[in-house]
Amino acid sequence: MKNLLKALSYFLVIGSGLVTIFRLNKTNKQLMARETTSFQVKQTLEAIAATLEKTQESERSTSAEAKQSSLDSVENEDLTSKDELKREVKEEAPPLIKANKNARGEYIYHVPGGVFYDRTTPVEWFHTEEEAQAKGYRKSAR
């Protein structure tokens, strides 16, 4: 009789342990689903922000082209004002280097002509590789 009670108590302990494990597994699955959704929402928001920034950059680029055409039309102004306008046009050129964070959490930048350049959804844009490196990004391997 004692042995039977011992065996039953062991089964109860093992059974309650299994129930606890199954409950934790279900909770883990729910948490993972929430994290995945949060990550996807964050990526979407970053892509929207990058698109907005790119749109603003293209508007600036259009403005720079207008300044360039006004530079071409100016003939009688002195050389220093022409140089200033040229400098402004160069400074407002749209950035071409795309930067983002990959799935492993690494900060990577992509230059035009790179394998992943067209597929990259940028989080940040840079004019030069030095700017990207100064912000902590490394160059894409391909």
Side-chain angles (χ1 to χ4, degrees):
M1 187 68 155
K2 276 187 175 181
N3 289 338
L4 183 61
L5 287 175
K6 266 188 177 179
L8 283 175
S9 66
Y10 285 131
F11 283 123
L12 280 173
V13 169
I14 290 172
S16 65
L18 288 174
V19 168
T20 303
I21 289 171
F22 287 125
R23 283 184 183 163
L24 287 173
N25 190 24
K26 183 179 177 183
T27 305
N28 271 351
K29 285 182 181 178
Q30 290 170 342
L31 288 174
M32 289 298 290
R34 280 189 211 144
E35 284 183 26
T36 302
T37 303
S38 295
F39 179 76
Q40 290 170 340
V41 167
K42 182 181 175 188
Q43 289 291 320
T44 303
L45 289 174
E46 289 174 348
I48 290 169
T51 304
L52 178 62
E53 189 174 321
K54 188 175 182 181
T55 303
Q56 290 171 342
E57 290 297 329
S58 69
E59 289 175 2
R60 286 186 201 133
S61 146
T62 305
S63 168
E65 289 171 3
K67 284 183 182 180
Q68 180 65 41
S69 66
S70 71
L71 175 65
D72 294 340
S73 67
V74 174
E75 295 178 19
N76 295 331
E77 290 191 26
D78 63 340
L79 188 58
T80 56
S81 62
K82 283 185 180 180
D83 288 339
E84 287 175 19
L85 279 173
K86 283 181 183 177
R87 204 172 314 117
E88 282 181 30
V89 168
K90 283 183 182 177
E91 288 174 0
E92 291 185 16
L96 297 176
I97 298 174
K98 297 178 178 182
N100 67 354
K101 187 175 178 182
N102 69 9
R104 288 179 272 170
E106 300 170 324
Y107 292 93
I108 300 176
Y109 68 88
H110 304 270
V111 295
V115 175
F116 298 107
Y117 185 81
D118 292 329
R119 289 188 268 171
T120 300
T121 302
V123 176
E124 289 189 71
W125 289 85
F126 297 103
H127 291 279
T128 64
E129 291 186 45
E130 290 78 21
E131 286 179 29
Q133 291 168 357
K135 282 276 206 146
Y137 288 90
R138 71 163 175 82
K139 187 173 184 176
S140 174
R142 296 192 258 164

